Amino acid sequence: MKSKRMALFLGVTAISGLACLPGSMAKADTTDDLLAKLLAKGILSQQEYDQLKQRKAVETPPPPPPAAVASASAAAVAAAPPPDPFAVRMTEKGIGVHVGPVDVTLSGEINGYYVHDSPDSVAPNHVVAGGLAAVGSSENSSIRNGLLPGNFAVELKTQQEGFDIVAHFGLYPGLNSVSGVGGANSAGAAHALATSGIDFRQQYLTVGTPSMGTVKVGRDIGLFGQQAILNDFTLFGVGSTGGNVAPSNTSLGRIGIGYVYTDFMPQITYTTPKFSGFTASVGIFQPLDAFNFSGQSGTLSAHNDPQIQAGVNYELPTDASSLLKAQLWANVVTQDLKSVSAAEALPQGRSVRGTGWDFGAKVDIADAELVAYGYTGDALGTTGLFFDGVSAAGQARSSDGYYVQGSYTFFKRFTLSGSYGLSRLGLASGEVNPLLVKTNESWAAGCKYKLTSWVNLICEYAHTTATAHGGNKAQEDTIAAGAIAFF
């Protein structure tokens, strides 16, 4: 009888304790199970069991109504101190901090490759003015950057007076030493005590709202040819070398061998909000010279009016689970190329208009990606904007080109890619110029292995051919292996 009283005392004490604990409603099933077991073992009589159940029901507080919970939460929020405008906090993702109302983020990229090049010999039949297949006395090797130099970017982002504001600064240091004659991306200087170049190619401000669109002011990538290079798989590798004995800051990739380089240019550009997948952009840009890149062309360097670029872009609306993604784009660039003096290709004050159009598509189906791109123009030139676009007499040359590319990713990490591209430069009406480049073309194949979320391992092969209007031809074979890291 004594032991029964002790057990009853312990049971009542335990039940009372459970009932008094915060959140005891969540323990209701446990208490009921304990009472049932005490009854089954004969420790509690039916009368005692019923009394304890009634006591538990009285002592267990009812749950607070939802309105009370919401009121308490609102009170807690109201009681919280206002955010410190000078507080520094980590960003939720990426590398950066919140400094009061401003997000400061850091990003960048580093790459390096071993490149072995096998060019045609220096011989009269291999001379192609403006050709992009390197020629040399022997095979050669280098440790160098690929199509991208390094990159270190700082971006400041905030909202003021309802406007989203971004200030971006991007520095692009080269791995290899350069001569410095002609800028940060000048010819290579493969000797001791030389230094690399730093291409400060990005510094721009954007101001906009979701409803009005965005205005960009500063120096950044152009519209014409932009998607061509951003979708080129050799962007993350080497492609064609552009010369490998004394490498400069970058290789060529597929620049001039399927597209004209978009370039980073001073600009004031407006981009619309996205409407059903469509955006449009238009801007005024720093005008450029008609430049004699090949040594077989004319120059025009008066800049009376700005260069105009415009484009449209369409992205198929999809959700994250969709296996099909598609993008279409088209752009135009146009500029008056005018003579500044009688020493140039045309009489002073005379001009020719340089215009180019480009168009392309990218389709992703599951792990496969296909890209097709093309361009055409008059006095547009080849390789760079308005390079060799006019003859020595100032007449417009036509040019066009394209590339096609396919990639497939296995196991989310290993990607195989291949592409073919060609750029053509025509002769002006009545022009005879047998050494001038007629076509630059290349085949390229590459593999990429995603080692970590930052680091990719790359290997590539490229075969480049340059052909002159008179029949001269130069060929180059390139093998590259290295790594690229983005953070």
Side-chain angles (χ1 to χ4, degrees):
M1 190 66 179
K2 184 177 181 180
S3 63
K4 183 176 180 180
R5 281 200 210 95
M6 180 61 71
L8 179 60
F9 172 76
L10 293 173
V12 172
T13 302
I15 293 164
S16 299
L18 288 170
C20 293
L21 285 173
S24 58
M25 287 297 293
K27 301 179 179 63
D29 291 341
T30 303
T31 306
D32 291 340
D33 289 345
L34 175 59
L35 291 174
K37 288 180 180 180
L38 292 174
L39 177 64
K41 293 179 178 292
I43 297 174
L44 295 178
S45 66
Q46 185 65 48
Q47 183 180 3
E48 291 168 335
Y49 173 80
D50 293 339
Q51 290 174 346
L52 290 171
K53 288 279 284 185
Q54 291 174 4
R55 179 176 173 180
K56 170 180 170 292
V58 171
E59 293 181 349
T60 302
V69 175
S71 177
S73 300
V77 171
D84 183 352
F86 302 104
V88 177
R89 298 179 291 112
M90 293 177 61
T91 54
E92 289 76 15
K93 60 181 181 178
I95 301 176
V97 292
H98 301 288
V99 182
V102 180
D103 291 347
V104 182
T105 57
L106 308 177
S107 62
E109 167 271 318
I110 299 172
N111 72 80
Y113 298 92
Y114 168 74
V115 179
H116 184 82
D117 199 39
S118 300
D120 269 343
S121 63
V122 178
N125 63 323
H126 295 150
V127 175
V128 181
L132 300 181
V135 294
S137 57
S138 63
E139 296 184 2
N140 54 83
S141 296
S142 70
I143 308 296
R144 63 177 296 170
N145 281 124
L147 176 51
L148 286 173
N151 167 231
F152 182 74
V154 179
E155 187 168 277
L156 310 177
K157 183 183 298 184
T158 190
Q159 190 175 77
Q160 298 176 357
E161 309 288 341
F163 292 98
D164 297 318
I165 299 172
V166 173
H168 186 100
F169 301 89
L171 293 83
Y172 290 75
L175 194 66
N176 293 86
S177 299
V178 293
S179 67
V181 179
N185 294 319
S186 61
H191 56 77
L193 304 182
T195 60
S196 63
I198 299 178
D199 181 358
F200 206 148
R201 65 175 66 171
Q202 283 180 306
Q203 44 181 312
Y204 64 82
L205 167 73
T206 65
V207 180
T209 70
S211 59
M212 80 166 223
T214 302
V215 175
K216 178 187 293 182
V217 179
R219 183 186 181 102
D220 194 24
I221 194 169
L223 301 176
F224 179 84
Q226 178 185 136
Q227 293 298 332
I229 191 169
L230 294 182
N231 289 296
D232 176 9
F233 84 84
T234 69
L235 177 64
F236 301 144
V238 175
S240 299
T241 67
N244 195 55
V245 174
S248 183
N249 277 3
T250 72
S251 65
L252 284 175
R254 192 168 281 293
I255 293 173
I257 315 173
Y259 54 85
V260 175
Y261 181 47
T262 179
D263 223 323
F264 286 75
M265 302 174 61
Q267 60 186 275
I268 301 173
T269 302
Y270 168 71
T271 300
T272 68
K274 185 176 288 188
F275 299 106
S276 301
F278 282 95
T279 57
S281 300
V282 61
I284 54 175
F285 290 70
Q286 164 65 31
L288 301 173
D289 295 352
F291 182 69
N292 184 7
F293 177 69
S294 66
Q296 306 287 313
S297 305
T299 59
L300 299 168
S301 57
H303 297 154
N304 292 26
D305 302 307
Q307 179 188 125
I308 305 295
Q309 294 193 28
V312 292
N313 186 78
Y314 173 74
E315 294 181 7
L316 180 69
T318 59
D319 55 38
S321 62
S322 176
L323 296 179
L324 174 65
K325 297 179 182 179
Q327 180 183 7
L328 304 171
W329 66 87
N331 300 284
V332 62
V333 57
T334 186
Q335 181 191 318
D336 201 29
L337 303 168
K338 197 169 188 177
S339 175
V340 74
S341 72
E344 294 195 324
L346 290 171
Q348 185 172 357
R350 294 279 301 277
S351 66
V352 61
R353 178 155 290 275
T355 301
W357 300 84
D358 78 346
F359 36 84
K362 180 175 73 170
V363 178
D364 292 88
I365 305 173
D367 295 320
E369 180 184 277
L370 300 173
V371 178
Y373 171 84
Y375 74 91
T376 186
D378 289 308
L380 172 69
T382 190
T383 304
L385 288 170
F386 311 115
F387 277 23
D388 299 323
V390 298
S391 68
Q395 294 179 294
R397 292 169 174 158
S398 64
S399 57
D400 61 88
Y402 66 91
Y403 79 86
V404 290
Q405 175 179 290
S407 300
Y408 192 88
T409 300
F410 301 85
F411 313 116
K412 306 300 181 184
R413 284 183 178 265
F414 184 72
T415 302
L416 292 177
S417 303
S419 68
Y420 171 77
L422 176 146
S423 286
R424 279 186 289 254
L425 180 65
L427 295 174
S429 177
E431 182 182 12
V432 177
N433 199 330
L435 295 183
L436 181 69
V437 63
K438 181 180 181 181
T439 60
N440 283 306
E441 59 183 313
S442 76
W443 292 92
C447 58
K448 178 178 70 173
Y449 180 73
K450 186 176 181 179
L451 184 66
T452 72
S453 60
W454 283 19
V455 180
N456 292 276
L457 307 180
I458 307 286
C459 64
E460 281 184 359
Y461 165 76
H463 177 77
T464 308
T465 303
T467 304
H469 281 275
N472 280 5
K473 181 180 290 187
Q475 299 185 82
E476 174 189 19
D477 290 287
T478 305
I479 297 173
I484 187 169
F486 294 90
F487 62 89

